[in-house]
Amino acid sequence: MAYDVIVLGLGATGSATAQHLAERGKRVLGIEQFTSPHDKGSSHGGSRMIRQAYFESPDYIPLVLRAYELWRRLEKDMDARLLNITGGMNIGSGEGELVRRTIAASTEHSIPFEVLEGREINARFPQVFPLAGDVAVYETNAGYLFPEECIRAQLARASRAGAELQFEESALAWSAEGGCVEVRTGRGTYSAGHLVITAGPWANQALNGIVPLRVTRQVMAWIAPRTGVTPFLPDRFPVFLCEDARGGAHGYGFPAIDGLEGGMKAAIHGSADVRTPESVDCEIHERDLRRIVEQLRMRIPALDGKVLRAQTCMYTMSPDEHFVIGAHPQFASCSIACGFSGHGFKFASVVGEILADLAIGGSTSHPIGLFSPMRFQS
């Protein structure tokens, strides 16, 4: 066999996997249908949130703490700026799930946080006008990653450690038999002892539907605050999640990370617009922007400003919105990672470590029971 491991897809998670495998001395082939990073999937747009007070489930917190360590190590190794700490705020009704679950998860894992009542929120961040009954959970260690730079750094580390990385090469088919896997592309056929599939929105095609996944269209908007950018610069304003007072999906956003010439990036987490990667509508419609602005201006009135630009990306959603990480349900010589459901980028560094563990030894010391692909098998 020419390789120990083939990694199919070199986005956030695939690049991390190639890096960890190569650094452990494995013969690695990485295959990517586009260049990497690229703007056709889920890991572009200049920023991705990272936070420790994880309301989605306390099971994520040990993983995200390790992710912080690995991002910082990568920064040091590459002499690069990948992660910026601004603090983070989850704001919503004191009786709502966002606040209650954030507090519960943080308490369980001793994540430092403060609870701010309505007037305290406005006193700390005068740009925010909380709704009646609002509470904010503020954590010091939240911030954002630069996704394109993170991927470039992981790919560079992988290459330096000996990984062979091939771009603009599409996989046509793969097979697994015994202890060998084969991947056929438009350029040739490659064999290895193990295959890792990190295909992002293309996971449905790569996995032949073995895991139930939905690909949804998302819109990110950069808005010029009506009161000016200065109060929203990263040293003055945190990353944030806002509960929708009407019961819909949470809004979220970032400080003005592009400085005085840029706006604030904001979006709504979740969409009913189910697509395939090839059919995603990349045109920005007025209704897209109106949905974002109308929700977030309820608490941050300055976001009722001019939209400077907007961009689409994709979420690959699992039915329960938890990740899918583990052995392929049918083939022991294949591991999969998919269904990151719009909150996975921050974990890419540690998921790469996990996938390297699985490819080499068939198990990992990281707690990944919540993410088993087998939970969808009847």
Side-chain angles (χ1 to χ4, degrees):
M1 289 179 289
Y3 302 97
D4 296 315
V5 184
I6 295 173
V7 180
L8 190 56
L10 292 173
T13 301
S15 61
T17 304
Q19 173 201 338
H20 284 284
L21 285 166
E23 289 177 341
R24 298 187 201 183
K26 299 302 175 182
R27 294 168 298 170
V28 181
L29 171 64
I31 300 173
E32 168 58 49
Q33 65 178 321
F34 304 114
T35 57
S36 194
H38 59 79
D39 63 358
K40 299 174 179 64
S42 306
S43 300
H44 57 279
S47 59
R48 286 294 184 275
M49 196 178 299
I50 188 166
R51 51 195 166 87
Q52 298 178 359
Y54 223 75
F55 78 92
E56 288 87 344
S57 169
D59 291 1
Y60 286 93
I61 293 179
L63 298 180
V64 79
L65 294 178
R66 176 59 174 163
Y68 272 80
E69 294 175 355
L70 292 170
W71 290 126
R72 288 305 193 194
R73 188 175 78 183
L74 185 62
E75 280 188 318
K76 182 178 180 181
D77 290 346
M78 297 301 296
D79 191 24
R81 180 171 173 247
L82 305 178
L83 192 165
N84 191 46
I85 297 298
T86 60
M89 178 171 58
N90 290 1
I91 182 170
S93 165
E95 303 302 317
E97 283 199 355
L98 177 61
V99 166
R100 290 189 295 104
R101 291 173 62 176
T102 301
I103 292 172
S106 302
T107 301
E108 180 175 336
H109 286 280
S110 301
I111 301 300
F113 68 92
E114 298 176 66
V115 176
L116 306 177
E117 303 293 339
R119 290 184 179 179
E120 295 173 305
I121 298 169
N122 183 254
R124 180 77 63 89
F125 302 107
Q127 309 92 324
V128 179
F129 292 80
L131 305 177
D134 269 353
V135 170
V137 184
Y138 179 79
E139 61 166 311
T140 303
N141 293 322
Y144 56 87
L145 296 154
F146 298 98
E148 291 91 345
E149 295 307 313
C150 289
I151 293 171
R152 289 189 184 99
Q154 289 175 156
L155 290 171
R157 287 293 299 173
S159 182
R160 291 181 191 180
E164 183 178 333
L165 308 177
Q166 298 178 186
F167 301 97
E168 299 183 284
E169 182 171 1
S170 296
L172 303 177
W174 65 272
S175 61
E177 185 174 346
C180 179
V181 296
E182 284 192 349
V183 176
R184 181 168 60 87
T185 76
R187 297 182 192 171
T189 300
Y190 310 97
S191 63
H194 199 90
L195 173 65
V196 179
I197 297 178
T198 51
W202 288 266
N204 269 327
Q205 292 93 317
L207 296 170
N208 293 317
I210 195 69
V211 177
L213 300 171
R214 295 181 296 120
V215 174
T216 65
R217 171 183 179 271
Q218 304 296 136
V219 175
M220 307 172 282
W222 283 258
I223 303 169
R226 287 192 294 105
T227 54
V229 169
T230 300
F232 294 96
L233 293 173
D235 61 346
R236 304 183 186 193
F237 201 72
V239 297
F240 61 91
L241 292 171
C242 283
E243 179 184 74
D244 184 1
R246 300 161 296 190
H250 304 316
Y252 66 93
F254 299 79
I257 70 174
D258 296 320
L260 295 177
E261 300 303 316
M264 292 178 66
K265 179 181 162 186
I268 305 297
H269 177 83
S271 168
D273 188 4
V274 178
R275 300 277 180 155
T276 65
E278 295 79 13
S279 70
V280 167
D281 178 10
C282 293
E283 183 178 350
I284 303 299
H285 304 282
E286 180 60 30
R287 63 179 180 274
D288 298 322
L289 306 179
R290 186 169 58 250
R291 180 174 178 242
I292 296 169
V293 171
E294 286 182 353
Q295 180 168 330
L296 293 180
R297 72 182 180 186
M298 295 173 68
R299 293 186 176 94
I300 308 176
L303 286 183
D304 189 12
K306 179 182 178 182
V307 176
L308 302 176
R309 62 188 176 99
Q311 194 172 22
T312 60
C313 70
M314 289 181 275
Y315 283 1
T316 307
M317 309 293 293
S318 72
D320 56 15
E321 299 190 14
H322 293 309
F323 305 162
V324 181
I325 305 171
H328 190 288
Q330 297 174 349
F331 304 105
S333 55
C334 177
S335 302
I336 64 177
C338 56
F340 288 101
S341 299
H343 62 113
F345 188 93
K346 64 184 75 64
F347 294 91
S349 58
V350 68
V351 175
E353 185 173 63
I354 290 165
L355 291 169
D357 291 342
L358 296 177
I360 294 170
S363 64
T364 181
S365 61
H366 289 294
I368 61 170
L370 177 65
F371 313 125
S372 171
M374 296 304 296
R375 71 187 191 271
F376 303 116
Q377 305 303 300
S378 57

